[in-house]
Amino acid sequence: MKLKNLFLAAMTLFAFAACTETPDAPYDFPTGGGNGGTTEEGVYINEKFASDFGVFSTVETVGNYPWIIDYSTAKATSFVDGANNAATSWLISSAVDFTEETEAYVAFDYIIRYAESGKVAKNHQLLISADYAGDAAAATWTDLPYGAVEGADWQTFYKANVAVPAEFLGKSGIVFALRYTATTKAGTWEVKNFKVAHGTAAEPEEPEEAQEYTVAEALAAFTGVATPAIVKGYIVGTVDGQVYTDGCRFSGTAESKTNLLIADNIDETDPANCMPVQLPNGTVRNALNLVDNAGNYQKMVTLTGSLEKYFGVPGLKAVSKYEIEGVTPEEPETPEGAYINETFATDFGAFTTQETVGNYPWIIDYSTAKATSYVDTDGDGKADTDKAATSWLVSPTVDFTNETEAYVAFEYIIRYAESGKVADNHQILVSADYAGDAATATWVNIPYGAVEGADWNTFYKANVAVPAEMYGKASVTFALRYTATTKAATWEVKNFVVAHGTATGETPEQPEEPENPETPDTPVVPSGDNLLANGSFEEWNGDAPVAWGTGNIGHNATISQSADAYDGSYSVLVGGSATANKRLGSQKYTLAAGTYVISAYIKQDGATAGAFKLGYGIIKEGKIANSDYKYQDNATTVSGEWTMYTHEFTLASETEVAVLIMNSKVGNGNSILVDNVMLTTSDGGTTGGGNDDGGNEEPETPADTYAFTAVTSVTAGAQYLIVAGTNQATALDASKGYGYLPVTTVSPSNGVINTTDDNVFVIEAVDGGYSIKDALGRYLFMKGDYNSVNLDTTLPAEGGVWTIEFNADGTAKITNTYNGKFMQFDSQYNSYGVYPDARGEMPTLYKKN
């Protein structure tokens, strides 16, 4: 959603990702505002920022992202055009004369959102100076901590009220400043008033105590204002999708980990009697979600959180505590004799961060301390570049004067590490002379047997002794040092403990190198005849092998013929992408129930190794849904030699499938070569498609194909294809009332696509622009702040009007007039959405001739 900006043109703000019910665009419209300043006795400054800065001025010392007046607040952000930009921006008051002052305070109301993890206070400071002379960088500033808090919405303003330090009283020329800072992540800070006055700073308000409710009582008590609450009820299901009533699923089988439905009745099936509960990432979600904990279904749960609107109805958010069936989860015990015990669940505790190479600090993410320098450099919201970095997470100093035996323990995940440098690039260090500068201290490495993981769920345990030379010393400091040179890994750490006692030695065992290397396990052997046509890729039709590639459901890779073959004359080269998985897809086959083996010979193309997964897609109504792509668990890195790989799967009933070889983005976009693909079975077989002879059934009549030509103008009432590259938007299933538009693959040639008219969209003129209707006769429209489309057979009164502008490259910017978002193909999710910023490809319109 676009935020108005008086000084910066077209500032477009975007979201992360998440695959949660949180809207993809994080910056919704903030509200609030002031009514102008007033002058009172004993008041030095009283600005409301309703329409201007008054006695304040703006200065930028890093970047060019000044404070602005927006939504009746003074606002700072350097999140611009979908990118996080480094910035230091100042809002500086006029000088105040405190010559006769003996007691004064500063007060203001604020909202901070999307702050860099662990740096809310550091990046949103209230400062004071007695020597400011027009150069913010040259002045001496004193920080006035005000307990900065990151908010959860644009309605709730927090109050700051702090005393002016005594050393500034009795002096003239005193200046205050609000300093906004952004490094790797740009938050937004809104301040709607600012007051400096004589008197005593107010005591912080006591937080409101949470009231206990049943679900019915909580629904009745909801006022629309966030209120602490404890709600007790039975877990009766989840919400699937974005529309509450349509999305309620009353079952222990769930697709979403991010929410629950609770009710007073254990068998409740009426959404009106339920309350949706948002599960925050971390311990609460891990313990309660029904995807991983199906046994929680219909259990009584007591939740402490905040009554707020969720899915447009009264809900419970920000859950901090829970009980299931009267059992309170145990708090992690503090080890006896512990010097340090940090979980990193919500913050760094007493740890601090430093960067000595690059500017990629440790952050708190997924209830861990996380370091990575694989970052987004093109502003599309997706990491795409490995950056050199040395980033430190430094512990508080501990006193080992009387210590004789101590250990360090923590849990970690390391992924995508530079080959051969797992231990070197992910170190635990200890120092006896650290004095604030990590680069100049003397550090001793503590090897812990660092292991690279294969998923984001399995944490390894480190438990190692503190080196003996640290005992008897008064100032001992520990550090986690993350290093990246040519390849940037990700390191997550939780539950860091330093304690008295003996190390358990819980380091993963390293396999010994056998004197005589064992013969590797024999892979699953394909049995029976090959069910796939042209698996050897010897037959080609133009640029694609017969029965494979362009035009087949599930295929989206760029492919070409290669003479580097395992067998015969040709193989197929499958292009890759560092940001999206690319698939070589077969024609469709109908397979009987049974167990099947996919096998293929695969090798790297040239000197650079790629990665792949073998699998298949289940075809329903001519499409493969995102949940119906079925692959082996982990991507395999290929070598420079032809090697056979296999994957076994079982079908419980007759199923229409396409066989897929995925060039995984894990391979950093490197191409792979594929040859001799086989699908075999000993107890199944084809019943349609592929090499099936069709039995006695009449062959299907081929669907009529039509020519569609790329256009740069719209003819009202005509039929169009919406295509980005080779990805054609298609209609959602008839059973769905909302969602992201799935895709099928087409082959444009010289501005023309020859295909069926099964997936056309009809564009009709309406007041203010156009309506868009899918092949099932449903109008596309937008509602709320969601990025997915809604569907209705009747054009709605709101959200169904679109404007269409054509870009210089011939693509179309299809914008919804209700929310200003525009249609794009997102390769990460292989679908079309309607987004507030440029995160994917805008489509080309092809008109039916």
Side-chain angles (χ1 to χ4, degrees):
M1 184 167 294
K2 295 180 180 176
L3 292 175
K4 300 174 185 176
N5 188 323
L6 302 182
F7 295 169
L8 302 176
M11 180 186 291
T12 306
L13 303 172
F14 82 105
F16 310 106
C19 13
T20 69
E21 279 71 23
T22 303
D24 288 327
Y27 291 85
D28 23 35
F29 282 121
T31 61
N35 301 306
T38 60
T39 302
E40 308 167 19
E41 185 177 354
V43 175
Y44 298 93
I45 297 174
N46 189 19
E47 289 296 346
K48 295 293 186 183
F49 303 131
S51 58
D52 56 45
F53 291 121
V55 299
F56 283 74
S57 58
T58 64
V59 176
E60 298 78 57
T61 51
V62 175
N64 185 23
Y65 306 97
W67 285 78
I68 64 171
I69 299 295
D70 200 16
Y71 293 95
S72 299
T73 67
K75 186 180 81 176
T77 188
S78 58
F79 187 77
V80 181
D81 293 333
N84 295 283
N85 298 285
T88 303
S89 305
W90 305 69
L91 185 60
I92 303 177
S93 77
S94 58
V96 173
D97 186 352
F98 279 161
T99 304
E100 305 296 328
E101 189 56 78
T102 57
E103 189 175 41
Y105 67 91
V106 183
F108 58 93
D109 293 348
Y110 70 94
I111 292 174
I112 298 170
R113 295 202 67 192
Y114 310 106
E116 184 174 346
S117 182
K119 294 190 177 182
V120 178
K122 182 178 179 181
N123 288 356
H124 308 83
Q125 291 178 300
L126 170 64
L127 305 173
I128 186 172
S129 174
D131 64 2
Y132 174 74
D135 185 349
T140 304
W141 296 98
T142 299
D143 185 20
L144 302 182
Y146 59 94
V149 174
E150 183 170 11
D153 57 51
W154 291 114
Q155 288 77 40
T156 306
F157 282 82
Y158 291 84
K159 293 182 179 293
N161 194 299
V162 294
V164 174
E167 62 263 33
F168 294 94
L169 304 177
K171 297 179 180 179
S172 61
I174 304 302
V175 173
F176 297 86
L178 296 169
R179 182 171 66 186
Y180 167 89
T181 305
T183 51
T184 59
K185 189 171 187 290
T188 295
W189 189 12
E190 294 185 349
V191 177
K192 75 170 180 178
N193 50 47
F194 194 97
K195 186 175 185 178
V196 180
H198 168 77
T200 305
E203 292 291 331
E205 296 180 1
E206 290 294 325
E208 186 179 349
E209 290 189 8
Q211 179 72 36
E212 294 190 19
Y213 298 105
T214 64
V215 173
E217 290 169 344
L219 292 172
F222 181 72
T223 64
V225 177
T227 307
I230 300 171
V231 184
K232 186 175 184 178
Y234 291 101
I235 298 174
V236 295
T238 57
V239 182
D240 178 18
Q242 298 171 342
V243 179
Y244 179 66
T245 304
D246 294 342
C248 289
R249 302 289 180 262
F250 297 97
S251 167
T253 301
E255 294 185 6
S256 174
K257 294 184 179 183
T258 62
N259 70 79
L260 294 174
L261 280 174
I262 61 173
D264 293 330
N265 184 344
I266 195 171
D267 296 314
E268 187 62 70
T269 58
D270 185 349
N273 297 329
C274 300
M275 174 168 280
V277 178
Q278 185 183 56
L279 300 179
N281 189 42
T283 303
V284 173
R285 182 181 296 175
N286 294 341
L288 298 182
N289 82 83
L290 290 180
V291 175
D292 299 323
N293 309 282
N296 287 348
Y297 178 56
Q298 294 191 326
K299 283 189 176 182
M300 176 66 74
V301 64
T302 302
L303 305 167
T304 300
S306 175
L307 280 181
E308 300 180 35
K309 186 173 284 189
Y310 187 35
F311 290 107
V313 299
L316 191 69
K317 301 175 76 173
V319 176
S320 58
K321 295 180 182 178
Y322 68 92
E323 296 180 15
I324 299 180
E325 299 288 358
V327 178
T328 305
E330 294 183 4
E331 295 291 330
E333 293 184 7
T334 300
E336 186 177 352
Y339 297 93
I340 298 172
N341 186 22
E342 289 292 350
T343 64
F344 302 130
T346 58
D347 56 44
F348 291 123
F351 281 69
T352 57
T353 64
Q354 287 187 40
E355 299 79 55
T356 51
V357 175
N359 187 21
Y360 308 99
W362 285 78
I363 63 172
I364 298 296
D365 199 18
Y366 292 98
S367 299
T368 68
K370 185 176 84 173
T372 188
S373 57
Y374 185 61
V375 295
D376 174 18
T377 57
D378 58 11
D380 66 353
K382 305 168 188 172
D384 51 37
T385 305
D386 298 281
K387 292 289 188 180
T390 303
S391 305
W392 304 72
L393 185 60
V394 183
S395 81
T397 298
V398 298
D399 186 351
F400 275 172
T401 302
N402 299 314
E403 189 55 79
T404 58
E405 188 176 42
Y407 67 89
V408 183
F410 57 93
E411 297 175 59
Y412 69 94
I413 292 173
I414 299 170
R415 295 204 67 193
Y416 308 112
E418 184 173 347
S419 180
K421 293 191 175 182
V422 178
D424 290 344
N425 289 355
H426 308 85
Q427 293 180 312
I428 172 70
L429 306 171
V430 63
S431 173
D433 65 3
Y434 173 77
D437 185 350
T440 60
T442 304
W443 296 98
V444 176
N445 183 30
I446 308 177
Y448 61 95
V451 171
E452 182 171 11
D455 59 54
W456 291 114
N457 302 311
T458 307
F459 281 83
Y460 291 87
K461 292 186 177 182
N463 192 301
V464 289
V466 174
E469 61 263 38
M470 297 295 152
Y471 303 148
K473 297 186 177 179
S475 297
V476 177
T477 306
F478 296 85
L480 295 165
R481 183 172 67 185
Y482 168 90
T483 305
T485 52
T486 59
K487 191 172 188 296
T490 296
W491 189 14
E492 294 183 352
V493 176
K494 67 179 182 179
N495 300 333
F496 190 97
V497 173
V498 176
H500 169 77
T502 305
T504 64
E506 283 190 45
T507 54
E509 294 182 3
Q510 302 297 318
E512 294 182 3
E513 191 70 29
E515 293 181 8
N516 298 307
E518 297 178 4
T519 303
D521 292 340
T522 304
V524 181
V525 178
S527 60
D529 295 330
N530 190 8
L531 303 178
L532 303 177
N534 194 33
S536 62
F537 305 117
E538 295 301 300
E539 300 175 59
W540 287 71
N541 183 5
D543 295 330
V546 171
W548 294 85
T550 305
N552 289 310
I553 300 167
H555 176 85
N556 70 345
T558 300
I559 59 175
S560 59
Q561 188 182 79
S562 173
D564 183 354
Y566 169 74
D567 189 24
S569 301
Y570 304 115
S571 68
V572 59
L573 184 145
V574 183
S577 167
T579 59
N581 298 317
K582 296 298 181 179
R583 303 177 297 272
L584 169 65
S586 76
Q587 67 183 19
K588 61 185 179 182
Y589 298 87
T590 303
L591 302 180
T595 298
Y596 297 83
V597 175
I598 304 171
S599 64
Y601 283 85
I602 305 176
K603 66 174 286 191
Q604 70 188 41
D605 174 43
T608 53
F612 73 93
K613 288 185 179 183
L614 300 178
Y616 63 99
I618 299 173
I619 301 170
K620 299 175 183 176
E621 298 182 5
K623 308 178 187 67
I624 302 174
N626 287 341
S627 60
D628 286 334
Y629 285 95
K630 310 294 184 180
Y631 296 104
Q632 57 195 114
D633 290 339
N634 299 309
T636 301
T637 301
V638 297
S639 69
E641 300 294 330
W642 284 107
T643 304
M644 186 182 78
Y645 301 92
T646 63
H647 173 54
E648 183 177 273
F649 66 93
T650 300
L651 298 176
S653 60
E654 184 175 273
T655 308
E656 188 173 54
V657 306
V659 172
L660 305 171
I661 292 91
M662 175 211 290
N663 185 336
S664 172
K665 60 185 178 183
V666 171
N668 295 316
N670 296 322
S671 299
I672 59 174
L673 293 167
V674 180
D675 203 359
N676 281 26
V677 182
M678 296 183 69
L679 179 68
T680 62
T681 181
S682 57
D683 59 355
T686 57
T687 61
N691 56 9
D692 179 41
D693 62 10
N696 297 320
E697 296 181 6
E698 290 293 325
E700 293 184 8
T701 302
D704 292 333
T705 59
Y706 302 90
F708 291 79
T709 303
V711 294
T712 54
S713 63
V714 174
T715 302
Q719 295 180 335
Y720 294 88
L721 305 181
I722 299 174
V723 181
T726 60
N727 298 291
Q728 177 188 341
T730 67
L732 282 156
D733 289 347
S735 62
K736 292 189 176 293
Y738 62 89
Y740 294 87
L741 297 177
V743 300
T744 189
T745 303
V746 291
S747 303
S749 177
N750 297 318
V752 176
I753 296 175
N754 290 293
T755 187
T756 67
D757 58 1
D758 295 338
N759 295 304
V760 297
F761 291 83
V762 178
I763 299 177
E764 300 172 335
V766 295
D767 289 344
Y770 299 93
S771 66
I772 302 175
K773 195 160 48 176
D774 70 10
L776 300 179
R778 301 171 297 177
Y779 290 96
L780 277 57
F781 70 99
M782 303 298 292
K783 63 190 294 187
D785 192 35
Y786 301 116
N787 296 335
S788 56
V789 298
N790 287 264
L791 303 165
D792 200 309
T793 54
T794 302
L795 182 66
E798 185 176 63
V801 179
W802 306 78
T803 60
I804 301 175
E805 303 172 73
F806 289 90
N807 302 311
D809 62 358
T811 58
K813 187 173 185 180
I814 305 172
T815 305
N816 188 266
T817 61
Y818 167 72
N819 56 20
K821 300 182 183 184
F822 56 101
M823 188 178 293
Q824 298 161 71
F825 170 72
D826 189 336
S827 61
Q828 181 179 4
Y829 299 107
N830 197 42
S831 64
Y832 282 83
V834 186
Y835 300 106
D837 49 37
R839 68 177 62 188
E841 299 176 63
M842 283 190 272
T844 298
L845 291 180
Y846 288 80
K847 180 174 172 287
K848 186 177 179 181
N849 293 349

